[in-house]
């Protein structure tokens, strides 16, 4: 586990610049919002779960969340197909806040090309530390 | 930043403009109002759950689903709208949501002050009077690489039609929503006794926004925005978009102000279907009523329980209900204290 300031980032995950985490299990990728990501999002009231089977492209805004009447978008970290969405979040969206790396997961994706992961960041990399430092300033965290 | 001071425009255009701008990279602030009334639902809402579509159809009130958050609202020309479209990398977009809202809602509060209404920003996204009544609507969205902030000054408000267009289980519920809304939402007219002219409201609003956004340059809306609106219009008017199922729901909640909700919940207990409707303000229950198809003898026990829970803090209801069961003589087969907790609080 890498800790930057008070935020924790598991070392076995990949991270996007938009604070989405990705856990790889072969071609099946589970994604969620990092602890830092959920913190800047605020109390999440709704999560729109994408339907199973939907094809998505890397960097496409493919799902949404709402907090404080603010609709935020989640961009796909990789291209692929939606295998499953965490429908529990339709009833308990606050799991994203309370357990971002566990029960607050968002979707599972079957990656069409695992090399998409190469562009993502690792928690223990200097680039990731720089990103969080910059984001902390931007979001005044 | 460009200022698009459009005044009254066609109702659907008043929505399509700010949906089109981020798609064709046009930053700016729009000041406008719809020329006719309509109902607007939030991005994550289910239209059929929220709006009485038959009433709207019979009264020629169109419906729109926006990409911005929040709930169903009745909008008309007595509300003056601002719509800010800025790139996510703009320095004014820095900070978290609360910081962004606070920065952007201060001009709205300042405008009310200038109109003679002491009003202040209240986190996360409200502008309220000194008495704590809401006097502005606000919502935001990320569309492409842009952040959209929309909100209004409420010169006057048609409470009756607002409450009528909502889909509610019964008239009792509608009455509760109306009462709560009139108590917790106010308008310029209610506060100062008259409706100022458009310019008396728009001029200070623009001037106060200029203090935050920098110099605002009056401009015509670019043709490419109108072209994009033509592309978006059939999509936003399609049944696929309007009736899209966004979330599940067995709970009905109408937010009438920050920390004030009218809640209606249903729970299927072994002894029958239970329904509860109540107002929740700062986590305190009031105006509670139970109904359902369960057996109860004597029926007075239900009103006694309602009275016992009136004014209770939500976390305390379990103990109060258990105490009621212990000390009151009644029969409600198939319904345990936990079922009452369930129908009230899930």
């Amino acid at each position: 586990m890498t800790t930057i300031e008070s935020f924790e980032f598991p070392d076995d995950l990949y991270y996007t610049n938009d604070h989405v985490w990705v856990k790889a299990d072969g071609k099946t990728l589970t994604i969620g919002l990092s602890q830092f990501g959920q913190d800047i999002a605020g109390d999440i009231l709704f999560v729109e779960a994408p339907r199973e089977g939907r094809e998505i492209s890397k960097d496409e805004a493919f799902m949404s969340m709402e907090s404080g009447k603010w609709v935020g978008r989640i961009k796909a970290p990789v291209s692929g197909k939606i295998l499953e969405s965490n429908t529990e979040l339709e009833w308990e969206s606050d799991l994203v806040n309370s357990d971002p790396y566990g029960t607050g997961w968002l979707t599972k994706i079957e990656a069409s090309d695992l090399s998409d992961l190469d562009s993502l960041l690792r928690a223990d990399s200097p680039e990731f530390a720089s990103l969080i430092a910059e984001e902390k300033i931007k979001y005044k965290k | 930043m460009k200022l698009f001071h459009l005044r009254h425009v066609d109702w659907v255009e008043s929505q399509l403009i700010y949906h089109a701008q981020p798609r064709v990279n046009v930053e700016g602030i729009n000041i406008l109002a719809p020329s006719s009334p309509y109902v607007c639902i939030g991005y994550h809402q289910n239209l059929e759950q929220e709006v009485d579509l038959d009433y709207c159809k019979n009264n020629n009130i169109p419906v729109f689903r926006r990409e911005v958050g929040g709930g169903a609202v009745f909008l008309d020309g007595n509300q003056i709208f601002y719509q800010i479209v800025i790139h996510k990398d703009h320095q004014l977009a820095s900070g978290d949501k609360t910081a962004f809202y606070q920065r952007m809602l201060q001009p709205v509060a300042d405008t009310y002050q200038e109109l003679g209404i002491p009003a202040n920003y209240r986190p996360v996204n409200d502008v309220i009077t000194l008495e704590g009544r809401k006097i502005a609507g606000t919502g935001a969205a990320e569309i492409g690489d842009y952040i959209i902030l929309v909100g209004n000054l409420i010169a006057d408000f048609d409470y009756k039609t607002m409450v009528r267009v909502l889909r509610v289980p019964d008239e009792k519920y509608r009455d509760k929503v109306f009462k709560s809304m009139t108590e917790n939402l106010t308008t310029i007219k209610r506060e100062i006794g008259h409706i100022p002219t458009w310019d008396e409201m728009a001029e200070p609003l623009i001037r106060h926004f200029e203090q935050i956004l920098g110099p605002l340059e009056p401009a015509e809306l670019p043709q490419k925005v109108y072209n994009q609106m033509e592309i978006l219009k059939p999509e936003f008017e399609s049944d696929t978009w309007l009736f899209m199922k966004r979330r599940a729901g067995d709970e009905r909640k109408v937010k009438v102000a920050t920390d004030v909700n009218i809640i209606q919940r249903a729970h299927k207990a072994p002894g029958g279907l239970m329904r509860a409707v109540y107002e929740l303000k700062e986590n305190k229950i009031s105006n509670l009523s139970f109904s359902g198809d369960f057996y109860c003898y004597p029926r007075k026990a239900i009103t006694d329980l309602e009275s016992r829970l009136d004014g209770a803090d939500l976390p305390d209801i379990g103990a109060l209900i258990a105490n009621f069961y212990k000390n009151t003589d009644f029969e409600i087969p198939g319904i345990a204290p936990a079922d009452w907790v369930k129908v009230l609080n899930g």
Side-chain angles (χ1 to χ4, degrees):
Chain A
M1 182 75 76
T2 296
T3 302
I4 303 176
E5 301 289 339
S6 58
F7 299 101
E8 294 185 332
F9 302 93
D11 292 325
D12 60 331
L13 306 181
Y14 296 85
Y15 297 89
T16 71
N17 289 339
D18 297 323
H19 311 295
V20 169
W21 58 260
V22 181
K23 184 175 186 177
D25 181 8
K27 291 188 79 171
T28 300
L29 309 181
T30 304
I31 78 162
L33 206 56
S34 74
Q35 190 189 18
F36 183 81
Q38 66 79 27
D39 188 77
I40 58 177
D43 293 339
I44 294 164
L45 298 178
F46 302 116
V47 176
E48 180 196 12
R51 64 177 169 77
E52 290 172 23
R54 177 177 162 186
E55 300 280 349
I56 55 172
S57 302
K58 182 174 166 59
D59 296 329
E60 171 194 348
F62 78 108
M63 63 183 296
S64 61
M65 293 180 176
E66 184 169 333
S67 59
K69 297 185 185 174
W70 182 304
V71 175
R73 315 285 173 170
I74 303 293
K75 289 182 181 173
V78 298
S79 296
K81 186 169 72 176
I82 302 294
L83 293 175
E84 183 184 354
S85 286
N86 187 356
T87 52
E88 195 63 29
L89 299 179
E90 291 188 17
W91 302 99
E92 289 188 75
S93 54
D94 57 343
L95 292 173
V96 179
N97 294 113
S98 60
D99 191 14
Y101 299 117
T103 54
W105 64 277
L106 301 176
T107 60
K108 294 181 190 295
I109 301 168
E110 182 182 76
S112 53
D113 184 354
L114 283 175
S115 69
D116 279 347
L117 293 173
D118 296 342
S119 62
L120 305 184
L121 299 167
R122 288 294 205 169
D124 57 359
S125 70
E127 293 87 351
F128 189 70
S130 298
L131 170 71
I132 298 301
E134 287 170 15
E135 293 283 275
K136 278 175 63 67
I137 293 168
K138 179 179 176 184
Y139 290 103
K140 297 180 173 64
K141 287 293 173 187
Chain B
M1 183 177 279
K2 301 284 190 196
L3 166 66
F4 304 112
H5 191 171
L6 304 167
R7 298 175 184 268
H8 285 87
V9 301
D10 178 80
W11 76 268
V12 75
E13 285 189 8
S14 74
Q15 285 289 334
L16 290 174
I17 289 168
Y18 74 85
H19 285 90
Q21 281 171 272
R23 290 171 163 89
V24 289
N25 303 305
V26 175
E27 278 189 326
I29 176 170
N30 313 327
I31 304 292
L32 50 75
S35 55
S36 60
Y38 67 104
V39 171
C40 188
I41 64 167
Y43 182 71
H44 286 114
Q45 292 193 297
N46 290 336
L47 177 58
E48 289 169 299
Q49 283 178 2
E50 305 294 337
V51 177
D52 185 335
L53 290 170
D54 287 339
Y55 178 83
C56 289
K57 189 178 175 185
N58 292 336
N59 290 276
N60 298 314
I61 300 172
V63 180
F64 190 90
R65 180 198 292 281
R66 60 186 184 268
E67 291 192 2
V68 166
V73 283
F74 178 72
L75 306 177
D76 64 20
N78 281 323
Q79 300 161 55
I80 175 167
F81 292 84
Y82 60 88
Q83 302 164 344
I84 299 169
V85 179
I86 61 169
H87 195 275
K88 64 179 184 178
D89 293 333
H90 195 294
Q91 62 175 16
L92 288 168
S94 65
D96 63 13
K97 290 181 176 65
T98 304
F100 181 80
Y101 276 131
Q102 181 166 16
R103 184 182 306 130
M104 294 300 192
L105 292 181
Q106 192 56 49
V108 180
D110 291 343
T111 301
Y112 278 122
Q113 297 268 1
E114 197 168 321
L115 291 169
I117 303 165
N120 294 294
Y121 164 77
R122 182 173 70 182
V124 174
N125 54 11
D126 274 326
V127 176
I128 58 163
T129 62
L130 289 181
E131 292 76 29
R133 293 192 179 93
K134 180 173 170 165
I135 194 166
T138 317
E142 295 163 16
I143 302 179
D145 290 330
Y146 292 82
I147 293 173
I148 317 300
L149 175 75
V150 298
N152 60 4
L153 296 178
I154 306 174
D156 197 6
F157 191 67
D158 187 345
Y159 295 88
K160 199 174 169 185
T161 306
M162 169 73 224
V163 172
R164 189 61 195 81
V165 299
L166 293 176
R167 183 169 177 267
V168 294
D170 52 47
E171 292 309 305
K172 195 174 174 185
Y173 181 78
R174 196 185 307 283
D175 290 345
K176 284 178 189 289
V177 174
F178 180 80
K179 186 168 180 287
S180 186
M181 195 169 282
T182 50
E183 285 173 0
N184 291 288
L185 175 75
T186 190
T187 68
I188 294 172
K189 186 181 177 185
R190 276 178 66 178
E191 295 297 316
I192 63 173
H194 70 281
I195 300 175
T197 65
W198 178 276
D199 288 337
E200 284 170 345
M201 294 184 286
E203 188 277 325
L205 184 64
I206 292 166
R207 181 160 33 80
H208 288 298
F209 266 122
E210 205 158 30
Q211 290 170 6
I212 300 294
L213 301 173
L216 296 175
E217 179 191 342
E220 297 285 323
L221 203 60
Q223 186 58 42
K224 63 181 179 180
V225 175
Y226 287 109
N227 295 343
Q228 184 64 32
M229 287 160 62
E230 286 303 310
I231 294 168
L232 293 178
K233 193 175 180 196
E235 183 187 327
F236 276 83
E237 289 182 338
S238 71
D239 284 353
T240 308
W241 171 254
L242 285 170
F243 290 89
M244 194 176 290
K245 287 278 185 286
R246 290 296 189 187
R247 57 183 158 102
D250 66 354
E251 181 186 78
R252 179 95 174 93
K253 185 186 282 188
V254 175
K255 185 173 184 176
V256 292
T258 298
D259 291 335
V260 184
N261 287 287
I262 301 293
I263 292 171
Q264 196 254 347
R265 299 195 85 263
H267 167 58
K268 186 79 176 75
L273 181 70
M274 307 167 71
R275 291 187 190 280
V277 55
Y278 60 94
E279 179 179 307
L280 192 64
K281 185 171 186 175
E282 291 166 353
N283 226 25
K284 203 177 279 293
I285 291 174
S286 62
N287 297 316
L288 170 65
S289 69
F290 291 117
S291 60
D293 60 0
F294 53 88
Y295 173 82
C296 175
Y297 181 82
R299 291 299 297 180
K300 184 176 175 298
I302 299 298
T303 49
D304 287 346
L305 180 58
E306 289 168 353
S307 300
R308 193 70 59 88
L309 297 175
D310 193 59
D313 286 319
L314 203 53
D316 297 336
I317 57 172
L320 289 168
I321 293 165
N323 192 47
F324 182 81
Y325 264 65
K326 192 177 170 184
N327 297 315
T328 312
D329 193 16
F330 63 89
E331 287 178 54
I332 310 181
I335 292 182
D339 290 312
W340 296 105
V341 175
K342 186 89 179 164
V343 75
L344 287 167
N345 199 25

